[in-house]
Amino acid sequence: MPSTVMPQRRGREQEQDSEDTDEGTPTGGSTHQSKSRSSKRSRLNLNGDASPPRSPLRPEGFQSGGNRNRAGKAPQKGSAPSKHQPGSIVRVKLANFVTYTAVEFFPGPSLNMVIGPNGTGKSTLVCAICLGLGWGPQHLGRAKEVSEFVKHGSQDATIEIELAGRPGKRNPVIRCNIKREGNKTSYDINGTPSNKKKVVELARSFSIQIDNLCQFLPQDKVVEFAAMTPVELLRSTQRAVASQEMLDWHESLKDLRSKQRTVQAQKASDTETLANLEGRQRMQEADVERMREREQIKERVRLLEIARPFPEYRAIRLKYAEAKERRIEAARQLQRLEQEVEPTLRAVNTKQIYRDRIQHVVDERKRLVEKAERKAQDHSSKIKRIDDGIKELENEKESERKGAKNNRQEAIRLEGVVKGLKVQMEQQPPEFDIGEYNERIREKAREGGRYSDEASELNKAMQGLNNQGMERNTRIQQAEHELEDLESKAGQQNNKLKNESKDSAVAWEWIQKNQDKFEKRVYGPPLIECSVKDPKYVDVIEAAFSKTDFICFTVQSRADFNTLHKKLHGEMRLSEINIRTMTGGLDNFRPPVSQQELARYGLEGWALDYVDGPEPVLAMLCADGPRLQQTAVAIQDTTPQQYEMLQNSSIACWVSRKHIYKINRRREYGPGATSTTVRDVRKARWWTEQPVDMNAKRALQENIAGWKEEVDALQDQFAGMRAQITELKRRKLDVDKEKKILEDEKDEKQRTVKAFNALPTRLAGQEEKLANFQSLIDGFRERTQVLDHKHDELTLGKGQIALDYANTVEIVRKAHDDFYEAELMLIEANSDFEVLTERNSTIKNDLETKRKEVDEITKASERVSSLARKLMKKCRALIAEGDTDPIKKVFFAELPEHQTLEEHDLEIETEKARLELMHEGNGGIIREFEKRQQSIDLLKARLLEVDAGLEELNSTITEIRSKWEPQLDKLVKRISDSFAYNMKQINCAGEVSVYKDEDFDQWAIQIQVKFRENEPLTILDSHRQSGGERAVSTIFYLMSLQSLTRSPFRVVDEINQGMDPRNERLVHARMVSIATGNDEQVFTEDDDGDEAEDEENGESGKVGGSQYFLITPKLLHGLRYERGMRVLCIASGEYMPKDQSVVDFRACVEIRRGLVHRGVTAAG
């Protein structure tokens, strides 16, 4: 069960320091007096009676007696600090968290080395610090959900962190509870429920920055820190060691610079636009003047056309006066003519009145004739309706007579039926046993069922035989195909693929059948797709290939890769599959040297020149695997002289007759840093033509013959079963016929019995029908009498209506006589009127002509009057418009009072002629000119505002930069001095500076290092330095922040991974010196009192800096140890002994020291 122990190591022996010195590694260790050594012996004896109580590993979480003194004095150089800084971690207690069931850590106030094998829970402490102080799992780079940190098998976990409080205040204790269900987290501070926001605020009040990789660098974030850009590094450095005010200044400068760029760009754009607009104004000024004059003429023409109603009204008013005089004169002439012809016309008028009266009498008598005719027609219609009724009654009487006859015949028939039914009821049907019939029918059905079952079983057996036959035929086809493959080259290659990788062979078979599922063609393994052009080179070419290179597949798009990967790995579950993507062609790959230079080295060509295959497959082999375009080949051995030349060339791989050579070069270590791998060239086995395997061929032929014999036997069995089924079907058909005969006999007898049982009901029904027909026969006389009575009534009514019709016809005759008499009188009146009219037609025509003349003169006068009124309204409307439009008012006032319409139109034509003589030009040039002038005025005003704003921005930037830049330079200089000093201690050099750019968001930390004596300082990046060198530089940079940091603690997890032993030993020694306050480096502070201010705020105050956590799974032997360090040894896992007391690290240390002491004494 996991737990921890923290041995309290107080010092180290001189012998250990001597061991370090013998190894040639500087440790910086101090020499202790013999007196102190003897005192240490009394405290750390082998029996442990004078030492602190032992601290065995216990299962439920061990609380160490670590240094928890919060009121100690400030540490002196060479002694261990005894007081935790405010915000540093005093205690961490975990329960059911990741790998721990229960554990409690007591880190020291200075350097804490957390060591232990991989998987024991070192990084778990880092996770606990992050989550316990309120930050999320995203800062760890591990799990995404906080519930994933709960130990397997538990439902909740607890993190308890005690931070050192400020002077005079209690230590805050933060408790974090994690629930697996619901992924929930709860917090409390000093036992009081709280929330995540308040916990983070409390941590930030101590300058704790878990989200800053310069303070908190978990194992899974080391790569992220290494990938941090110099710009991001500057921000993280400021967050770690600078004041919040400097961060705010930097952010303000970035914002202000962004605004400044925007304003400057806007000013430049506006200035350019203004110059452009002003130039265009000057170019168009003359054209605009001409266009304005033309516009003035156009405006005068427009106003003249608008004012045209005024002369029109004056002209029409004169015409109206003339028309009025003509109308009055014509009316006087008409009146004189009417007086002269009045006596002659009076006789004609009298005769016309007489004719009109006669016409009225004719019309009245014609109306009376039509009325009498309508009345006579009504009587005629009534007579017709009565005739129709009489005819209908006669038809009913005839129908009754026929019905009575039919009823008597039906009654006679029904009497015969009744007698027949009574006779049938006296004759009983023969009896039969229905049960016996049913049993015989069921027996036949069972017999037929047995035949069907036997046939069904035979069918199933035949189906099985058919399946066996198909399976044998499939095997025969496959074997024949394999037999053909044995004798073909493609088949031989497929067999080689199948023998080498069955999964790849299955995959290639599926790909060939499903090429339509891909965007582009998918190519098979090079073993199938490619070949060697010249057989004598096959050994050297195959030597450059690995097995994976031979059996890999080539796709030409990422989508095809995903499709093929999902099918082969996901659905088909094939394991030995290698898929490579190649989207380009061979043009992207060039040999490192020319053919002529290649010949100088005794090499004949590149492997690519001797391999034939599809271009995408060859390009894939150039990009990955054998790299054909960079692998040289020759069928002769390489001489020592050629080997020396090739070592100094850019060729890294070549194949000769017997060997394949690969050179690995490390250019960062100089031209001599090379190593060569040499392997033997084996006999080719892939691209070779082999004879047919006769054993395999013989085995296939024997299998085919055996399977064909089995198929013949199966066919014989199948034919026999088919004959049996035919016989069973014949028997079942006979049984079905016998069954059908029995069922028909049964049905016939059942129908006979059923019909006899129904005879009483049928008899009653027929007797009832007979009674009904008898009743109808008895009522025939009564119905006939009723019809005769109705016939008599209709005949009497018809006689009365006939008399009325005769009277009405007489009235019609009399009305016609009167009508004809009136018409004769009308003809005489019309004749007299026409004679008189003819005699006076000339007089009447003269009078009519004069009247028409008067009407025409009157209408002409009215038209002129109407036009005059319309023109008057227009004139009044124009005068009203002039009241609101000053231009029109002045123009109307200047018009000549007596100007005629012709003179007005002539003036309009004159102005239009002037307008035509002027060039029309661009119609919108004036609007464009005026609009452009408005834009110019607006731009000038805006530029004044921009200049003022830009001046204000420049002033603000200068003011803030004058505060921020000196402090940043001073801060980075201190970091650079510390970094250079640290690098110097390991015989290297380094420098930290600020890269300054016009844009403040591009300012960056620039780290320069030198690891070899004869090289200059170079910028630290992934291209110039090795991984170990970058790790050394990174840890030294982080240590350079130690004395400046405002953070109470810092965490670095496994930063020493990738270092060689020498660098790791040197880095460890420097880390111990800095973290424990034993560093000899001294900084000279400026006179501005910054350090004094930090001392006063309690944020600095000693060279050792803040609390430090270094987590590592490995340590070298004989590393430096100083007072103030605390080593947390973690031992946990399933192999821990049940008796935890036997695991005592303190006892191990005491035994080790005792043995060393004995060795020294014996040597003395």
Side-chain angles (χ1 to χ4, degrees):
M1 195 170 291
S3 59
T4 186
V5 64
M6 290 141 286
Q8 306 213 1
R9 300 175 65 182
R10 301 297 185 184
R12 299 186 63 183
E13 276 64 40
Q14 292 177 350
E15 290 80 3
Q16 290 173 302
D17 294 337
S18 299
E19 292 175 4
D20 292 342
T21 305
D22 293 340
E23 294 177 3
T25 304
T27 61
S30 61
T31 304
H32 301 288
Q33 299 296 328
S34 60
K35 181 178 179 180
S36 63
R37 194 190 322 150
S38 62
S39 63
K40 285 188 283 183
R41 290 287 180 265
S42 64
R43 292 195 302 270
L44 301 174
N45 56 64
L46 293 174
N47 298 326
D49 52 348
S51 62
R54 294 194 175 196
S55 304
L57 218 60
R58 296 199 174 95
E60 296 304 324
F62 168 66
Q63 295 190 4
S64 168
N67 184 1
R68 299 180 63 182
N69 179 18
R70 302 183 182 89
K73 297 181 179 180
Q76 302 296 325
K77 181 178 180 180
S79 64
S82 59
K83 180 181 178 182
H84 286 77
Q85 290 189 39
S88 60
I89 297 175
V90 177
R91 178 175 57 89
V92 178
K93 184 177 181 180
L94 308 176
N96 298 324
F97 185 78
V98 190
T99 60
Y100 294 112
T101 301
V103 67
E104 191 165 16
F105 297 89
F106 293 91
S110 184
L111 177 62
N112 292 274
M113 301 285 295
V114 183
I115 63 175
N118 284 324
T120 54
K122 301 181 300 302
S123 297
T124 301
L125 174 61
V126 178
C127 299
I129 293 172
C130 175
L131 300 179
L133 294 179
W135 273 265
Q138 68 271 17
H139 300 290
L140 297 170
R142 291 194 170 191
K144 294 183 179 179
E145 304 293 342
V146 70
S147 61
E148 298 180 36
F149 290 88
V150 179
K151 186 180 179 183
H152 181 69
S154 301
Q155 295 302 315
D156 53 17
T158 303
I159 305 171
E160 186 173 290
I161 299 178
E162 180 180 353
L163 301 177
R166 292 185 174 86
K169 295 186 178 180
R170 63 178 291 189
N171 289 353
V173 178
I174 301 170
R175 184 180 179 88
C176 172
N177 296 307
I178 303 172
K179 298 287 185 183
R180 183 187 297 276
E181 185 177 357
N183 192 38
K184 296 181 180 179
T185 306
S186 61
Y187 294 88
D188 62 66
I189 302 175
N190 294 328
T192 303
S194 185
N195 55 45
K196 183 175 181 178
K197 181 180 179 181
K198 292 183 179 179
V199 170
V200 174
E201 289 176 353
L202 174 62
R204 291 193 186 279
S205 69
F206 288 106
S207 298
I208 296 173
Q209 302 172 8
I210 300 297
D211 54 349
N212 189 348
L213 296 180
C214 288
Q215 176 188 344
F216 191 84
L217 188 58
Q219 175 182 352
D220 296 294
K221 290 287 185 175
V222 172
V223 176
E224 183 177 330
F225 182 84
M228 188 182 294
T229 64
V231 174
E232 295 170 344
L233 185 59
L234 174 61
R235 183 176 183 276
S236 297
T237 300
Q238 287 191 98
R239 289 184 62 204
V241 301
S243 63
Q244 183 62 39
E245 188 177 32
M246 285 188 66
L247 288 171
D248 295 341
W249 284 341
H250 192 191
E251 293 301 321
S252 298
L253 286 172
K254 289 192 285 187
D255 293 341
L256 290 170
R257 174 55 185 159
S258 176
K259 294 178 181 178
Q260 186 186 47
R261 284 200 307 269
T262 303
V263 173
Q264 288 174 343
Q266 183 63 43
K267 179 182 177 181
S269 175
D270 288 350
T271 303
E272 182 181 356
T273 303
L274 179 60
N276 190 345
L277 292 177
E278 288 179 339
R280 292 171 65 185
Q281 287 293 87
R282 288 190 295 271
M283 292 173 60
Q284 291 184 348
E285 199 165 4
D287 293 337
V288 168
E289 288 299 325
R290 287 194 299 272
M291 291 302 298
R292 282 178 175 168
E293 182 181 358
R294 192 174 190 281
E295 288 297 322
Q296 291 175 358
I297 297 173
K298 285 176 64 178
E299 179 66 12
R300 178 167 180 80
V301 170
R302 185 182 71 84
L303 292 173
L304 286 171
E305 290 177 344
I306 291 174
R308 197 171 185 276
F310 291 113
E312 282 182 337
Y313 175 70
R314 288 193 291 271
I316 205 67
R317 190 170 58 181
L318 294 175
K319 287 182 180 180
Y320 175 73
E322 294 174 356
K324 184 178 179 180
E325 291 179 0
R326 287 197 304 272
R327 179 173 57 82
I328 294 172
E329 179 61 27
R332 283 198 296 268
Q333 292 177 3
L334 176 61
Q335 186 178 9
R336 284 196 300 269
L337 182 60
E338 286 177 346
Q339 291 175 355
E340 291 174 357
V341 300
E342 192 273 335
T344 305
L345 294 176
R346 188 181 303 120
V348 177
N349 292 335
T350 302
K351 183 57 71 174
Q352 183 177 4
I353 293 171
Y354 172 74
R355 187 198 62 178
D356 293 340
R357 289 176 180 174
I358 294 299
Q359 181 65 48
H360 177 71
V361 172
V362 169
D363 294 339
E364 181 63 23
R365 291 183 178 181
K366 183 178 179 182
R367 184 183 63 79
L368 292 174
V369 168
E370 291 174 352
K371 180 178 178 181
E373 288 177 347
R374 282 195 300 274
K375 191 172 182 180
Q377 184 65 33
D378 291 341
H379 289 308
S380 176
S381 299
K382 288 180 181 179
I383 292 171
K384 187 176 182 305
R385 284 196 297 272
I386 291 173
D387 289 340
D388 293 338
I390 292 171
K391 186 175 181 180
E392 184 178 353
L393 288 174
E394 290 176 351
N395 291 336
E396 287 182 7
K397 285 175 67 176
E398 183 63 25
S399 177
E400 282 293 332
R401 285 193 295 270
K402 291 180 179 179
K405 182 179 180 181
N406 293 335
N407 289 339
R408 283 193 293 270
Q409 293 175 353
E410 183 64 20
I412 293 170
R413 188 189 67 79
L414 288 174
E415 287 176 355
V417 171
V418 170
K419 289 179 181 180
L421 290 174
K422 289 179 179 179
V423 171
Q424 290 179 8
M425 289 177 65
E426 294 175 355
Q427 298 174 356
Q428 293 290 336
E431 295 182 358
F432 78 102
D433 188 355
I434 189 171
E436 180 185 356
Y437 272 93
N438 289 337
E439 181 60 29
R440 291 169 64 188
I441 291 170
R442 283 194 292 270
E443 179 61 29
K444 294 298 180 181
R446 285 192 293 269
E447 185 177 358
R450 286 194 299 271
Y451 292 147
S452 296
D453 293 340
E454 291 178 11
S456 178
E457 291 296 327
L458 288 173
N459 277 323
K460 290 180 180 178
M462 289 174 65
Q463 183 64 37
L465 292 176
N466 187 47
N467 292 337
Q468 293 180 28
M470 292 175 63
E471 189 265 338
R472 296 298 189 278
N473 286 326
T474 301
R475 290 185 183 181
I476 292 171
Q477 292 175 1
Q478 291 177 347
E480 290 175 346
H481 181 67
E482 291 177 6
L483 193 61
E484 292 176 1
D485 286 345
L486 282 176
E487 299 175 353
S488 67
K489 183 176 180 180
Q492 290 179 4
Q493 296 302 100
N494 282 326
N495 287 332
K496 290 178 184 179
L497 178 63
K498 186 181 300 183
N499 293 334
E500 192 62 37
S501 174
K502 292 183 179 179
D503 286 353
S504 297
V506 172
W508 177 230
E509 183 178 357
W510 182 89
I511 290 170
Q512 288 177 302
K513 296 177 181 178
N514 296 275
Q515 284 285 357
D516 58 332
K517 291 182 170 58
F518 302 98
E519 294 178 353
K520 298 181 179 180
R521 180 182 173 184
V522 176
Y523 291 94
L527 173 63
I528 304 294
E529 300 282 2
C530 299
S531 62
V532 178
K533 298 178 180 178
D534 192 342
K536 67 181 180 181
Y537 288 93
V538 67
D539 292 341
V540 295
I541 295 299
E542 282 196 10
F545 283 72
S546 65
K547 174 184 174 182
T548 305
D549 297 331
F550 275 108
I551 64 174
C552 66
F553 297 92
T554 305
V555 298
Q556 301 184 70
S557 69
R558 189 65 188 173
D560 288 347
F561 176 88
N562 294 333
T563 302
L564 189 58
H565 183 275
K566 181 179 179 182
K567 180 64 181 181
L568 301 184
H569 290 281
E571 298 180 16
M572 299 177 69
R573 301 289 184 183
L574 302 178
S575 58
E576 195 177 4
I577 299 296
N578 186 278
I579 307 171
R580 298 177 184 176
T581 305
M582 174 48 58
T583 58
L586 287 174
D587 295 339
N588 299 324
F589 303 100
R590 293 286 183 269
V593 300
S594 65
Q595 192 70 28
Q596 294 78 8
E597 187 175 355
L598 194 66
R600 280 200 311 112
Y601 302 133
L603 300 173
E604 300 176 19
W606 302 101
L608 180 61
D609 301 331
Y610 298 95
V611 179
D612 192 12
E615 183 176 354
V617 179
L618 296 179
M620 177 273 294
L621 294 174
C622 291
D624 198 1
R627 301 187 184 276
L628 299 180
Q629 86 286 7
Q630 297 178 1
T631 302
V633 297
I635 57 176
Q636 302 297 328
D637 290 333
T638 301
T639 66
Q641 294 81 6
Q642 292 171 345
Y643 177 79
E644 292 296 329
M645 293 171 61
L646 285 166
Q647 273 195 320
N648 298 322
S649 70
S650 57
I651 299 175
C653 180
W654 75 93
V655 187
S656 66
R657 185 170 64 90
K658 295 182 179 179
H659 301 95
I660 177 171
Y661 302 85
K662 288 188 178 180
I663 299 178
N664 298 317
R665 297 183 175 90
R666 293 292 299 272
R667 302 190 184 280
E668 63 269 24
Y669 295 115
T674 62
S675 62
T676 305
T677 303
V678 182
R679 292 189 290 105
D680 292 338
V681 173
R682 298 180 180 179
K683 195 68 177 175
R685 51 188 287 261
W686 300 95
W687 285 321
T688 58
E689 294 184 1
Q690 299 176 351
V692 176
D693 188 348
M694 297 306 298
N695 292 329
K697 181 177 181 180
R698 189 179 303 108
L700 288 173
Q701 290 173 343
E702 291 175 356
N703 289 337
I704 292 171
W707 289 329
K708 286 183 177 180
E709 291 177 359
E710 292 179 5
V711 169
D712 293 338
L714 290 172
Q715 287 177 347
D716 293 340
Q717 295 181 32
F718 192 86
M721 290 181 179
R722 178 176 292 172
Q724 293 179 26
I725 289 175
T726 302
E727 177 61 22
L728 289 172
K729 287 182 177 178
R730 185 191 62 76
R731 293 179 183 179
K732 186 176 185 304
L733 184 61
D734 294 341
V735 170
D736 290 342
K737 289 180 179 179
E738 294 174 1
K739 177 186 170 187
K740 183 66 169 59
I741 292 171
L742 289 173
E743 288 175 345
D744 292 343
E745 290 180 1
K746 171 191 163 187
D747 292 341
E748 179 62 28
K749 291 183 177 182
Q750 281 183 330
R751 283 195 296 273
T752 302
V753 172
K754 186 176 181 181
F756 179 78
N757 294 332
L759 286 175
T761 303
R762 289 181 60 196
L763 178 61
Q766 296 298 322
E767 289 178 342
E768 184 179 356
K769 287 183 180 180
L770 180 60
N772 291 335
F773 279 105
Q774 194 64 44
S775 175
L776 290 174
I777 293 170
D778 296 340
F780 170 71
R781 189 179 298 276
E782 295 178 0
R783 291 193 299 276
T784 304
Q785 292 176 355
V786 171
L787 291 174
D788 290 341
H789 178 69
K790 289 181 178 181
H791 185 274
D792 295 340
E793 289 181 349
L794 288 175
T795 302
L796 292 175
K798 178 182 178 182
Q800 182 60 42
I801 293 173
L803 293 175
D804 294 337
Y805 177 72
N807 294 331
T808 305
V809 169
E810 179 60 26
I811 293 172
V812 169
R813 186 190 63 76
K814 182 66 171 62
H816 272 285
D817 292 341
D818 295 340
F819 172 69
Y820 294 148
E821 181 183 1
E823 274 194 333
L824 290 172
M825 293 175 67
L826 179 60
I827 292 170
E828 292 176 355
N830 283 331
S831 177
D832 294 341
F833 176 74
E834 290 174 359
V835 170
L836 288 174
T837 301
E838 182 65 25
R839 292 176 182 174
N840 297 293
S841 59
T842 304
I843 297 172
K844 190 173 182 180
N845 289 337
D846 294 341
L847 184 60
E848 188 66 27
T849 301
K850 181 55 71 173
R851 285 174 179 170
K852 288 181 179 180
E853 182 183 350
V854 172
D855 290 340
E856 289 176 0
I857 293 172
T858 303
K859 289 178 181 180
S861 176
E862 290 175 354
R863 285 196 297 271
V864 172
S865 175
S866 175
L867 181 58
R869 286 193 297 270
K870 290 180 181 179
L871 288 173
M872 184 174 63
K873 288 182 180 180
K874 286 184 179 181
C875 293
R876 288 175 179 175
L878 289 175
I879 292 171
E881 290 179 8
D883 294 337
T884 58
D885 188 346
I887 295 176
K888 289 182 179 180
K889 186 174 184 179
V890 172
F891 184 79
F892 294 158
E894 293 176 352
L895 289 173
E897 292 184 4
H898 303 291
Q899 187 181 39
T900 63
L901 181 59
E902 289 77 9
E903 292 172 346
H904 190 86
D905 289 341
L906 179 61
E907 186 176 359
I908 292 175
E909 293 300 325
T910 301
E911 294 295 334
K912 285 184 177 180
R914 288 182 59 197
L915 193 62
E916 289 178 358
L917 292 175
M918 300 182 67
H919 180 65
E920 183 175 359
N922 185 0
I925 191 171
I926 297 176
R927 291 193 300 273
E928 182 182 347
F929 186 85
E930 293 173 350
K931 185 177 180 180
R932 190 184 300 117
Q933 187 60 44
Q934 293 176 359
S935 300
I936 290 172
D937 296 340
L938 290 175
L939 279 175
K940 288 181 178 179
R942 188 163 67 188
L943 281 173
L944 292 176
E945 295 177 1
V946 168
D947 288 337
L950 193 58
E951 182 65 28
E952 184 179 354
L953 279 174
N954 293 336
S955 175
T956 306
I957 290 173
T958 302
E959 179 183 358
I960 296 177
R961 181 172 181 174
S962 65
K963 299 176 184 177
W964 174 68
E965 185 176 9
Q967 293 193 32
L968 179 64
D969 291 339
K970 186 190 306 177
L971 189 67
V972 174
K973 183 179 183 305
R974 293 178 63 187
I975 295 172
S976 180
D977 292 343
S978 178
F979 182 73
Y981 181 80
N982 291 334
M983 295 292 289
K984 184 178 179 182
Q985 300 309 303
I986 62 171
N987 297 324
C988 298
E991 180 181 275
V992 181
S993 60
V994 179
Y995 170 76
K996 300 180 180 181
D997 191 86
E998 185 179 0
D999 294 333
F1000 292 100
D1001 55 1
Q1002 297 300 317
W1003 283 42
I1005 288 290
Q1006 199 170 64
I1007 302 176
Q1008 294 178 293
V1009 294
K1010 181 176 77 171
F1011 285 91
R1012 281 162 285 280
E1013 183 176 358
N1014 296 325
E1015 67 179 14
L1017 286 170
T1018 56
I1019 295 176
L1020 180 67
D1021 59 28
S1022 60
H1023 304 291
R1024 294 185 178 90
Q1025 291 81 24
S1026 64
E1029 291 169 348
R1030 293 198 303 274
V1032 170
S1033 303
T1034 300
I1035 191 63
F1036 275 170
Y1037 182 79
L1038 293 176
M1039 287 192 298
S1040 300
L1041 306 179
Q1042 181 74 358
S1043 61
L1044 303 174
T1045 182
R1046 296 174 177 270
S1047 305
F1049 67 84
R1050 300 171 69 199
V1051 176
V1052 178
D1053 190 356
E1054 298 194 18
I1055 192 64
N1056 58 335
Q1057 298 301 305
M1059 295 185 190
D1060 57 34
R1062 174 182 177 276
N1063 284 338
E1064 184 175 357
R1065 194 177 296 280
L1066 295 175
V1067 168
H1068 177 81
R1070 288 298 304 142
M1071 188 181 299
V1072 170
S1073 298
I1074 294 173
T1076 58
N1078 293 324
D1079 192 13
E1080 296 177 358
Q1081 183 184 9
V1082 177
F1083 295 108
T1084 302
E1085 298 300 333
D1086 295 334
D1087 296 333
D1088 56 2
D1090 289 344
E1091 188 68 24
E1093 182 181 352
D1094 291 342
E1095 180 80 22
E1096 185 177 332
N1097 294 334
E1099 295 176 346
S1100 184
K1102 62 184 179 65
V1103 176
S1106 59
Q1107 187 182 40
Y1108 209 103
F1109 289 87
L1110 179 63
I1111 290 88
T1112 178
K1114 69 180 183 69
L1115 285 177
L1116 301 174
H1117 295 290
L1119 293 177
R1120 179 178 175 181
Y1121 178 81
E1122 289 287 347
R1123 289 178 178 273
M1125 288 176 59
R1126 180 164 295 180
V1127 182
L1128 307 179
C1129 301
I1130 297 179
S1132 64
E1134 56 182 333
Y1135 298 106
M1136 291 295 294
K1138 294 183 179 180
D1139 184 7
Q1140 305 276 328
S1141 63
V1142 303
V1143 183
D1144 190 345
F1145 288 104
R1146 190 185 304 280
C1148 295
V1149 172
E1150 291 172 357
I1151 293 171
R1152 160 71 173 161
R1153 288 176 174 170
L1155 293 174
V1156 172
H1157 176 68
R1158 290 177 184 178
V1160 172
T1161 304

